[in-house]
Amino acid sequence: HRVPLTVLPVDPRTPVRAAVHRVLTDHELDGVPTTLAWLLPVGTTPQPDALVALVDTWRRSPSSGVLGPKHLDADDPHVLRALSIRTTRGGRLLTRPAPGEPDQGQYDQTSDALGVPFAGSLVERDLLLYLRGWETSFGDVGADLDLGWRAHNAGRRVVVVPAARMRTEPGVAPAGATTPSRRRA
């Protein structure tokens, strides 16, 4: 079964979340209505079965609208980079797993999350348009967390799919408050 793939040029000065939202809003992508958008920024390399794992999970769970992979270090696939965006009840970001933590399958039972990093995520186009995209004033982690929050409020699930593995460069899929601006956002 063939899946149409479209690559569209974007002004490199445009923030990536704004560019994705604009492309999904402005284009019918060669006349084929897009159901899902797989967001693969520079610095991510999906393993061959990553998309299959994401789509299978989406098909099995009609309430899921945003799905994210397990992020592994680009140079050492046995080291975790990120999985999901989690917070305490008071709203502080939890950095779990900690970047550099060995991947021993300890998070492979994780499913529902408050948010997932932009990089590698699979998002329903209609949900993204309904939510009006990311609130970019919150920064990268804050925007991803806000999108997940609004998806939950719209009655949709945000799901982590640990079987979908992505090799990720440092800084590409932040999921924690590693800088003062991320903590404030």
Side-chain angles (χ1 to χ4, degrees):
H1 179 36
R2 300 186 105 192
V3 176
L5 174 66
T6 304
V7 178
L8 297 170
V10 176
D11 183 340
R13 297 170 295 187
T14 304
V16 67
R17 288 163 183 79
V20 167
H21 186 248
R22 187 173 308 137
V23 164
L24 293 176
T25 301
D26 295 347
H27 299 283
E28 276 299 313
L29 304 178
D30 297 328
V32 177
T34 304
T35 303
L36 300 170
W38 193 23
L39 310 174
L40 296 174
V42 172
T44 59
T45 305
Q47 291 192 343
D49 59 347
L51 182 58
V52 170
L54 290 166
V55 172
D56 282 350
T57 301
W58 175 77
R59 284 184 178 152
R60 284 193 312 271
S61 177
S63 62
S64 59
V66 181
L67 299 96
K70 178 193 285 189
H71 291 274
L72 304 170
D73 188 83
D75 296 325
D76 184 355
H78 303 290
V79 173
L80 291 165
R81 282 233 166 261
L83 193 63
S84 64
I85 302 171
R86 298 191 180 277
T87 65
T88 65
R89 287 181 179 240
R92 295 182 90 178
L93 287 172
L94 294 173
T95 306
R96 279 191 8 223
E101 187 176 332
D103 179 18
Q104 301 169 335
Q106 68 270 40
Y107 298 103
D108 286 357
Q109 300 306 312
T110 303
S111 178
D112 286 280
L114 189 53
V116 294
F118 171 90
S121 62
L122 184 73
V123 182
E124 281 188 12
R125 178 180 185 258
D126 290 343
L127 175 63
L128 191 60
L129 296 179
Y130 172 75
L131 297 175
R132 297 189 177 125
W134 292 265
E135 177 54 59
T136 56
S137 67
F138 291 151
D140 50 10
V141 177
D144 296 342
L145 183 61
D146 176 67
L147 183 74
W149 176 263
R150 289 184 291 127
H152 282 286
N153 285 338
R156 305 304 298 278
R157 291 176 58 211
V158 178
V159 178
V160 176
V161 185
R165 299 163 61 93
M166 181 91 40
R167 294 183 69 168
T168 308
E169 298 288 331
V172 173
T178 55
T179 65
S181 65
R182 286 187 180 135
R183 281 190 290 279
R184 282 191 301 275

